[in-house]
């Protein structure tokens, strides 16, 4: 079998569990809300006043920390899955 076909048939990531899917949706929500807040910062600043930059900073830190947690967990699960798949061959 050609290498490209073998790679095409090989799973490249672990099946997504319920908790990992929930983490992914939360992570996507954080990223989208941060993008929306930054895009609409001027009206948000008019509405929230001096708390707007603080809110954006907290949201940025929360998104960064959660991104790191999600990606680290995803990498660990994928590596374990691929290690098990390699052992079964």
């Amino acid at each position: 079998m050609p290498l490209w076909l073998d790679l095409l048939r090989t799973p490249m990531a672990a099946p997504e569990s319920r908790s990992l899917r929930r983490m992914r949706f939360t992570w996507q929500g954080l990223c989208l809300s941060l993008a929306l807040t930054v895009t609409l910062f001027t009206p948000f600043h008019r509405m929230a006043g001096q708390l707007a930059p603080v809110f954006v900073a907290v949201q940025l830190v929360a998104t960064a920390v959660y991104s790191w947690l999600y990606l680290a967990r995803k990498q660990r699960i994928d590596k374990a899955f691929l290690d098990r798949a390699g052992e079964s061959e």
Side-chain angles (χ1 to χ4, degrees):
M1 178 180 328
L3 178 62
W4 67 270
L5 185 57
D6 189 38
L7 289 174
L8 186 63
R9 295 179 56 225
T10 304
M12 301 310 267
E16 192 172 54
S17 66
R18 235 182 242 170
S19 64
L20 196 59
R21 182 178 310 139
R22 192 176 326 114
M23 281 187 80
R24 179 172 52 91
F25 287 151
T26 303
W27 175 67
Q28 289 172 335
L30 282 169
C31 291
L32 287 173
S33 67
L34 180 62
L36 190 63
T37 304
V38 169
T39 302
L40 300 173
F41 183 74
T42 303
F44 181 63
H45 189 267
R46 270 189 248 126
M47 188 175 66
Q50 295 297 326
L51 290 178
V54 174
F55 178 75
V56 172
V58 167
Q59 196 174 15
L60 182 62
V61 169
T63 302
V65 169
Y66 201 81
S67 296
W68 181 80
L69 289 171
Y70 169 71
L71 294 173
R73 183 170 180 212
K74 173 98 172 101
Q75 288 291 327
R76 188 177 66 245
I77 290 170
D78 286 346
K79 184 175 178 347
F81 175 76
L82 292 174
D83 287 346
R84 281 193 309 269
E87 289 173 3
S88 66
E89 289 180 4

